[in-house]
Amino acid sequence: MNTQLVDRYLYRSGSEIWQEPNGLLSNFSSIPQPNLIGLNDVVKLPGGILLAEGGMGKTTFMEQLEDLLHGQPVHLFKLYEYIGDPGGFSIDFEANLTASSGDEAQTLILDGLDEAPDLAGVILRMLRKLSKNTSVWISSRDGAAIRTIQESDTELNSYNLAPLTIEDLHVLATQASYNRRLTCTCYASWGQWGRILGCC
């Protein structure tokens, strides 16, 4: 389970959000951001395609979405695990979806299509078999594979992951510093027992 240190937001592709000149998200207290969709509202959407560059937090966002949907069947596939193995993906996909009742609402999360673009055709075929009660989320960098799915499945709206605010960066930097201090304390306590493992 992921701890959500800062709130992350999506916005519909093609819509506008206010950003600072440095590319960070403008603070909401100074400028209203009506186009932003928070995680608690994302769970109410019927699925979609999440676009963001590498390292922006797509996987973390998808894992947090999975956590929020714990009351219903959720199937999270990390597609990098199936690089060069579309057959293995098909088998696992069928097994997971068959295990759930076709009548109940469920969510399918396909994380990181850009890392396994050869799965795009398999995914398209699988999506055609899904019941209408299945919400589908696919995360990816922009690229040929995700564009193929966008063009073929017009019901999946595309969203961008909004950048962080400067305040978010401060929170994350503070948390990272705190975790580093905890590690150093651990090293020091080992040192008291005569085993010096390292220091920060």
Side-chain angles (χ1 to χ4, degrees):
M1 184 169 173
N2 289 286
T3 302
Q4 191 173 351
L5 299 175
V6 295
D7 293 329
R8 297 303 304 266
Y9 296 87
L10 305 185
Y11 61 99
R12 185 84 177 263
S13 295
S15 63
E16 293 186 1
I17 57 171
W18 291 98
Q19 292 177 258
E20 302 292 346
N22 57 16
L24 296 175
L25 191 64
S26 294
N27 192 316
F28 300 177
S29 59
S30 57
I31 300 174
Q33 296 273 22
N35 290 331
L36 293 182
I37 306 166
L39 189 57
N40 289 324
D41 289 320
V42 168
V43 298
K44 301 170 189 171
L45 296 173
I49 294 171
L50 171 60
L51 298 170
E53 289 305 309
M56 280 190 68
K58 296 184 298 294
T59 295
T60 299
F61 193 90
M62 293 290 96
E63 289 172 346
Q64 290 171 345
L65 177 61
E66 178 191 29
D67 289 344
L68 278 180
L69 292 167
H70 64 272
Q72 61 174 281
V74 180
H75 313 280
L76 171 61
F77 290 91
K78 298 193 176 185
L79 298 180
Y80 68 84
E81 296 175 353
Y82 299 95
I83 293 173
D85 186 18
F89 172 72
S90 295
I91 291 168
D92 290 351
F93 186 97
E94 292 280 5
N96 274 273
L97 273 293
T98 303
S100 299
S101 167
D103 296 331
E104 62 184 332
Q106 54 188 321
T107 302
L108 173 65
I109 301 174
L110 304 172
D111 180 46
L113 179 61
D114 53 292
E115 297 180 63
D118 58 323
L119 297 180
V122 177
I123 289 170
L124 271 175
R125 286 192 297 276
M126 296 297 183
L127 292 181
R128 293 185 189 114
K129 297 180 182 179
L130 294 178
S131 75
K132 294 296 183 186
N133 291 331
T134 304
S135 295
V136 178
W137 282 98
I138 306 172
S139 73
S140 181
R141 297 182 201 187
D142 191 14
I146 198 64
R147 281 189 223 118
T148 298
I149 291 176
Q150 286 173 312
E151 291 166 8
S152 301
D153 193 331
T154 55
E155 292 184 14
L156 284 176
N157 292 322
S158 295
Y159 301 88
N160 293 85
L161 184 60
L164 296 165
T165 65
I166 190 72
E167 291 79 8
D168 293 336
L169 293 178
H170 282 287
V171 169
L172 293 171
T174 301
Q175 180 67 27
S177 177
Y178 176 72
N179 286 339
R180 190 165 187 268
R181 283 198 304 275
L182 285 180
T183 303
C184 294
T185 302
C186 179
Y187 283 0
S189 66
W190 273 101
Q192 292 172 2
W193 295 99
R195 294 181 63 195
I196 305 299
L197 301 180
C199 60
C200 300

